[in-house]
Amino acid sequence: TICQLHWREAACTRRCSRDRRHTEGRRAAVRGGAAALSTQLPRTMLSRLLKDHQAKQNERKELQEKRRREAVVAATRLTEALVDHLNVGVAQAYVNQRKLDNEVKTLQIQAAQFAKQTQQWLGMVDNFNQALKEIGDVENWARSIEMDMRTIATALEYVYKGQLQPAT
């Protein structure tokens, strides 16, 4: 009967408490222990319990697998979000680094041009100094020649005056 199949459940006790046969069967099953219980339960009941148990285990496994997949998806999304967040900073740093590299190259080129121009200016200043020295030398030479010429002119003048005076 149905009562023998579910005699341990509280609902059965409530429903079948007035049924004397069930109450007596229940007392006998309790007195007989596990051996009496196993003989009273039919094989189909055990297989049904086993199938129910396996079905519940499969449900739990499926639920656990579903939760595991959801956790993997959530972890993947979190990782992607973190990587994207970090990549923004890295990309900005990379752009800044490229700008700095370009500025450094430009500055190096300009510094090389300035050094070349400075060398040219130094060469021009040296040439100018040399020219000034030469002018100073020419001026000095000209003074020297001028003094020599005055000396000669004065000597010639004395000679000329000296020749004119005795003749008179």
Side-chain angles (χ1 to χ4, degrees), residues 1 11 14-15 22 27 56-57 64 78 80 92 107 123 132 136 140 145 158 164:
T1 65
R14 278 187 236 121
R15 280 187 294 167
H22 175 66
R27 286 184 191 143
K56 286 180 182 179
Q57 274 187 328
Q64 185 177 8
L78 175 65
E80 288 173 355
Q92 185 62 40
L107 185 60
L132 285 178
N140 203 12
I145 290 180
Y158 282 128
L164 289 177

Side-chain angles (χ1 to χ4, degrees), residues 57-127:
Q57 274 187 328
N58 286 337
E59 284 178 26
R60 280 189 220 119
K61 284 181 183 178
E62 288 174 8
L63 181 62
Q64 185 177 8
E65 184 63 25
K66 179 183 173 186
R67 288 180 181 163
R68 186 190 67 78
R69 284 191 303 265
E70 289 173 353
V72 167
V73 168
T76 302
R77 287 181 184 158
L78 175 65
T79 303
E80 288 173 355
L82 289 173
V83 167
D84 289 345
H85 179 69
L86 290 175
N87 280 344
V88 168
V90 170
Q92 185 62 40
Y94 179 73
V95 167
N96 291 343
Q97 183 64 38
R98 288 191 57 183
K99 287 180 182 177
L100 286 174
D101 289 343
N102 288 336
E103 289 294 323
V104 165
K105 286 178 184 176
T106 303
L107 185 60
Q108 286 175 339
I109 290 169
Q110 289 175 351
Q113 289 173 347
F114 180 70
K116 184 178 178 182
Q117 189 175 20
T118 304
Q119 288 299 322
Q120 289 174 347
W121 288 346
L122 288 174
M124 290 172 60
V125 168
D126 285 343
N127 290 339

Side-chain angles (χ1 to χ4, degrees), residues 9 21 31 33 46 50 98 102 114 127 131 135 140-141 159:
E9 295 179 11
R21 281 184 301 158
R31 272 186 252 125
L46 289 175
L50 180 62
R98 288 191 57 183
N102 288 336
F114 180 70
N127 290 339
I135 289 174
N140 203 12
W141 174 76
V159 169

